[in-house]
Amino acid sequence: MDVIYAYFNYLSTQASLESTQQKKEQLLAERHRLEQFFSVGAVTEDELQKIISSIEQTNVDILTLKNTLNNISNTLEYLTAERVEIKQGSSIVFQDAQKEQQRFDILALEESVKSAQEEANIAKSAHLPTFKIEDTYSRFKNDYANNAWESDKENQNTIVLSMQWKLFDFGSTSASVQAAQKNYLAKSSELAYEKHKAKASYQSAYNSYQTALAKIEANKAKLRASEMTYELVKKKFQQGIVNNVTYLDALSEKFDAQAQLQTALNEVEYQKAVLLYEMGEEIKGAIQ
């Protein structure tokens, strides 16, 4: 889960970096255009400085995002214990029709409860008598010819039945029984709690997955709207109808919307992995 989260977080951060770099290219083009107008007195210096300030801030954002990518890459190398090269294209295979199953950690806890129950039963058995049956077969044969020693008991079975019953042990058996019983009750209580918690976690994961799907459509609509707004504002800005503040806002909204859409797409993939885990499915086999 940590590897999957880091992978898709890397892709989302990379998408933000690419959008920020595209934004910088647009700002550089506008700065060049405004510098030409400024040289002939068609625009004021403060308008040019606002563009330059935005470029400088964009440079800071790019460096921050690159540092984040480096940190995520280091995290992946720590988790996998090998050199990693992150590429786009991986996804999680998921069928929404799949049903909730028992998680692997819950199954392991159930086995632990069964083991504790057996230990409690074994501890109780120390109070009961222990019976032992031994069957010994023996055969007698002379190594010399002497009929006087012949007997009809040359082949014999000897059966011995014995009983052992601990009547007094200074309370050690009772203490062992109580300890084993308390351990069993504690594990049973933990299992009941974890099952209830797992059920709530599954519902939460399913809701998060549905929310992530909805975010994709919302961000697609936001991107279409921001692109239309930007094109309109850009024309008005170049015609001098709106100021550069309005233009910069429209530019930022456009590229932010691009990054947010990619983040939403990556979030859905991660939520698939979370839901598969809560459903008790094997995650590694679902990666393609």
Side-chain angles (χ1 to χ4, degrees):
M1 291 294 292
D2 289 340
V3 170
I4 291 172
Y5 175 77
Y7 172 77
F8 287 111
N9 188 26
Y10 185 95
L11 296 185
S12 296
T13 305
Q14 192 174 51
S16 296
L17 175 61
E18 292 172 357
S19 294
T20 305
Q21 289 172 334
Q22 291 173 5
K23 176 181 176 181
K24 179 182 176 180
E25 291 176 4
Q26 292 283 341
L27 288 171
L28 290 173
E30 282 303 319
R31 184 185 71 176
H32 179 70
R33 189 182 70 86
L34 289 178
E35 284 175 341
Q36 291 180 329
F37 281 111
F38 178 72
S39 63
V40 296
V43 298
T44 59
E45 185 177 1
D46 67 302
E47 290 180 286
L48 178 60
Q49 286 302 320
K50 286 183 184 298
I51 296 291
I52 295 174
S53 175
S54 294
I55 292 173
E56 294 301 324
Q57 181 59 50
T58 303
N59 287 332
V60 173
D61 294 340
I62 289 174
L63 290 174
T64 301
L65 290 168
K66 286 183 176 180
N67 185 56
T68 301
L69 288 176
N70 184 65
N71 291 337
I72 296 173
S73 180
N74 290 338
T75 298
L76 282 168
E77 291 184 6
Y78 170 76
L79 291 172
T80 60
E82 60 184 53
R83 185 72 178 174
V84 298
E85 183 180 356
I86 304 170
K87 297 180 180 180
Q88 294 186 1
S90 295
S91 60
I92 306 295
V93 179
F94 176 76
Q95 298 294 331
D96 201 4
Q98 289 174 307
K99 296 181 179 179
E100 177 187 5
Q101 299 179 17
Q102 202 78 291
R103 271 180 8 200
F104 297 114
D105 57 332
I106 301 297
L107 293 175
L109 192 54
E110 285 182 342
E111 292 300 319
S112 178
V113 171
K114 291 179 182 178
S115 176
Q117 187 177 27
E118 290 299 321
E119 291 176 0
N121 292 335
I122 293 173
K124 289 179 182 178
S125 67
H127 279 301
L128 302 175
T130 302
F131 294 92
K132 182 179 181 182
I133 298 178
E134 296 180 351
D135 182 8
T136 304
Y137 172 76
S138 61
R139 183 174 183 273
F140 177 79
K141 180 175 177 61
N142 292 326
D143 292 333
Y144 50 87
N146 188 340
N147 295 333
W149 292 97
E150 288 184 357
S151 171
D152 58 353
K153 298 181 180 180
E154 291 181 354
N155 301 293
Q156 297 182 15
N157 266 359
T158 304
I159 299 177
V160 178
L161 174 63
S162 61
M163 181 188 76
Q164 182 179 6
W165 194 355
K166 188 185 294 185
L167 299 176
F168 186 71
D169 61 357
F170 299 96
S172 62
T173 301
S174 296
S176 297
V177 171
Q178 291 180 8
Q181 187 67 18
K182 287 180 180 179
N183 182 50
Y184 166 68
L185 293 175
K187 288 186 178 296
S188 296
S189 178
E190 181 184 1
L191 175 61
Y193 170 76
E194 290 298 332
K195 280 187 174 181
H196 179 75
K197 182 180 177 181
K199 187 175 182 179
S201 296
Y202 167 77
Q203 190 60 50
S204 176
Y206 185 79
N207 292 339
S208 296
Y209 171 66
Q210 295 297 327
T211 301
L213 289 175
K215 284 182 180 180
I216 292 178
E217 298 305 317
N219 281 285
K220 284 181 178 179
K222 183 178 180 180
L223 178 59
R224 288 193 295 269
S226 63
E227 286 176 338
M228 293 174 63
T229 300
Y230 170 73
E231 293 300 327
L232 181 62
V233 170
K234 180 181 178 181
K235 291 179 180 179
K236 290 183 177 181
F237 173 64
Q238 292 176 347
Q239 295 172 0
I241 300 175
V242 299
N243 57 29
N244 54 7
V245 174
T246 303
Y247 168 76
L248 292 174
D249 288 342
L251 180 66
S252 296
E253 287 182 6
K254 172 189 173 182
F255 288 110
D256 287 346
Q258 288 180 351
Q260 288 170 9
L261 175 58
Q262 189 58 50
T263 298
L265 292 170
N266 292 328
E267 183 182 354
V268 165
E269 297 301 319
Y270 174 68
Q271 291 301 333
K272 286 180 184 178
V274 174
L275 192 52
L276 283 172
Y277 169 76
E278 297 296 343
M279 293 167 63
E281 297 288 343
E282 204 274 322
I283 300 175
K284 188 176 180 179
I287 301 174
Q288 67 174 15

